Amino acid sequence: MEEGIRVNREVKVAIIVMEGTNNEEEAYQSFKHSEATPEIIHLKKLEDRKKKLSSYDIVCFPGGFSAGDYVRAGAVMAARIKSNLMRDLEEFVESGRPVIGSCNGFQTLVELGLVPNVDGDGRLEAALAPNMSNRFEARTVYLKMNRGNSLFLNEFKEGEVIKLPIAHSEGRFITRDKEVLGKIIKNRMNVVSYVDGSGKESGYPWNPNGSEHNIAGITNKNGNVLGLMPHPERVFYKYTESDWTRENNGTGMGNRFFTSAVQFVREKF
Amino acid sequence: MVKLRITVTLKKTVEDSEGDSVKKALKLLGYEGVKEVRAGKVYFITLAKGSKKTGKEFCEKLLANPVINECVVDD
């Protein structure tokens, strides 16, 4: 009955917070209702070794404004992690277990060098610069799921167009050079793209921040780290979507990101 | 005591939306001659001991992302 043991296996999720993160509750509820066991952990507890990343199956960096977005969004959180937790986090990533960061969590993953990391050396290859509109963009956007090998997108169809909310002022994805962008595209790491209602890559307002190649979300080469500017955790249920009164059947668009990852852990670990 | 002034700006190759907004606002105020505005941040840091080299470490470890930023340290 090995199969049964795996189905009932507890999937532990570490949702890492610090001063200024604010989407941890939505992430907690999303994982909890995906039959996982989430835990909100302050970064200090990991720094003090009162908690260990290796005890968990999934790591989540939630959205928000860590350290008040001072310096650059995600930069302070990333610098703290780099100073004494980086090896633990790298080992976690190398083990193949899932890591997700949405919005501020994505900014942190980019500042850590965990995505895109096309050359595999952890050097910074990208940045999330201020939106081209110079405005805080907060609305629902259309997104095309390019899937690639992202374990978070297993339950999406290739090319499927979905809607998720965004809320950010620093979301313009910029790569270090054309070579990095070329490798991202070649390796199909640009797994989530901003599109218009018909599924075509278009300019503003469909691309809300001016990201290169309309990139909204990106995975690492191995497919186990996902960073994206939109917020799947905010639309786990249909009734938290902006147009839920028009189409009030089915589950929320964000649901499958979480159930895909939880299912992946049950099958592989 | 060492006093450092660290200036972080977007690289010239990166479009500066804040700078462009300021330029537009200045033009609306009647300053037609404004050709370009680049925005940035300045950090005034006092060290008990250290040097410009310490300031450069601050740039690398926290204050600048080399993909989009330039970081200049003055003492």
Side-chain angles (χ1 to χ4, degrees):
Chain A
M1 296 301 285
E2 203 179 328
E3 191 66 22
I5 291 168
R6 272 196 262 137
V7 167
N8 295 322
R9 179 199 190 286
E10 185 182 37
V11 176
K12 294 176 79 177
V13 184
I15 300 167
I16 302 173
V17 298
M18 66 172 282
E19 298 80 352
T21 51
N22 65 11
N23 261 222
E24 54 267 28
E25 187 59 32
E26 290 93 330
Y28 180 91
Q29 294 298 337
S30 296
F31 278 112
K32 189 179 171 191
H33 291 99
S34 302
E35 297 181 359
T37 310
E39 185 181 340
I40 293 172
I41 302 168
H42 198 282
L43 184 58
K44 188 83 171 67
K45 285 193 175 169
L46 294 164
E47 288 170 337
D48 293 346
R49 300 294 190 265
K50 287 178 182 163
K51 297 277 181 182
K52 282 183 179 174
L53 283 182
S54 57
S55 310
Y56 298 87
D57 300 297
I58 299 173
V59 166
C60 171
F61 290 99
F65 301 86
S66 59
D69 267 3
Y70 293 125
V71 182
R72 286 179 316 286
V76 172
M77 191 174 200
R80 280 181 63 175
I81 291 170
K82 277 182 184 173
S83 72
N84 79 349
L85 272 175
M86 199 57 195
R87 194 58 219 137
D88 291 3
L89 188 55
E90 281 171 346
E91 279 175 10
F92 191 93
V93 171
E94 283 160 16
S95 75
R97 285 174 284 175
V99 177
I100 187 169
S102 61
C103 199
N104 193 223
F106 181 25
Q107 292 159 338
T108 303
L109 289 175
V110 167
E111 289 285 340
L112 284 168
L114 292 177
V115 284
N117 200 16
V118 288
D119 289 334
D121 57 10
R123 282 172 61 210
L124 296 191
E125 294 170 340
L128 288 155
N131 297 344
M132 282 297 289
S133 62
N134 198 31
R135 290 178 188 166
F136 189 90
E137 300 281 349
R139 53 196 153 85
T140 298
V141 294
Y142 287 102
L143 300 160
K144 191 172 181 179
M145 314 306 279
N146 308 313
R147 274 192 63 176
N149 64 346
S150 174
L151 65 88
F152 288 92
L153 307 183
N154 285 339
E155 294 177 21
F156 291 92
K157 290 181 201 134
E158 180 66 33
E160 185 177 347
V161 175
I162 68 163
K163 288 177 282 183
L164 291 180
I166 54 155
H168 60 256
S169 56
E170 294 174 46
R172 178 170 36 134
F173 186 83
I174 295 178
T175 48
R176 191 178 60 209
D177 48 44
K178 282 182 180 171
E179 196 184 330
V180 170
L181 183 61
K183 285 180 182 173
I184 287 170
I185 295 163
K186 188 182 163 207
N187 295 323
R188 302 182 69 225
M189 294 159 70
N190 53 325
V191 289
V192 187
S193 304
Y194 298 112
V195 291
D196 62 20
S198 67
K200 279 188 197 153
E201 287 182 10
S202 303
Y204 188 83
W206 310 105
N207 176 347
N209 45 42
S211 282
E212 283 180 359
H213 212 68
N214 284 44
I215 290 172
I218 193 153
T219 184
N220 62 341
K221 263 186 181 172
N222 197 30
N224 65 317
V225 181
L226 176 69
L228 73 170
M229 285 314 296
H231 287 275
E233 75 284 358
R234 289 190 185 174
V235 285
F236 187 84
Y237 293 108
K238 193 78 192 168
Y239 55 77
T240 56
E241 287 183 359
S242 56
D243 57 355
W244 69 278
T245 52
R246 263 180 270 170
E247 311 163 32
N248 62 353
N249 51 1
T251 54
M253 294 278 188
N255 186 301
R256 286 175 283 169
F257 288 84
F258 301 94
T259 52
S260 291
V262 172
Q263 185 63 22
F264 173 86
V265 170
R266 290 220 163 92
E267 284 174 11
K268 305 280 181 191
F269 290 92
Chain B
M1 298 272 260
V2 179
K3 286 186 183 275
L4 299 175
R5 189 182 66 188
I6 301 180
T7 309
V8 182
T9 52
L10 288 171
K11 284 179 178 174
K12 285 275 181 192
T13 50
V14 178
E15 282 189 61
D16 179 356
S17 52
E18 184 180 354
D20 290 345
S21 292
V22 172
K23 179 180 153 188
K24 187 178 169 189
L26 289 172
K27 284 199 164 187
L28 288 169
L29 291 172
Y31 297 100
E32 286 297 326
V34 180
K35 286 251 180 221
E36 188 186 29
V37 177
R38 302 292 293 179
K41 280 187 182 179
V42 181
Y43 300 89
F44 298 95
I45 300 176
T46 306
L47 302 172
K49 60 176 186 178
S51 64
K52 234 173 143 173
K53 198 179 157 202
T54 318
K56 285 189 176 163
E57 285 177 23
F58 294 167
C59 289
E60 285 163 18
K61 291 192 174 174
L62 180 65
L63 302 180
N65 179 328
V67 173
I68 52 169
N69 294 134
E70 275 175 2
C71 196
V72 177
V73 184
D74 297 303
D75 50 6

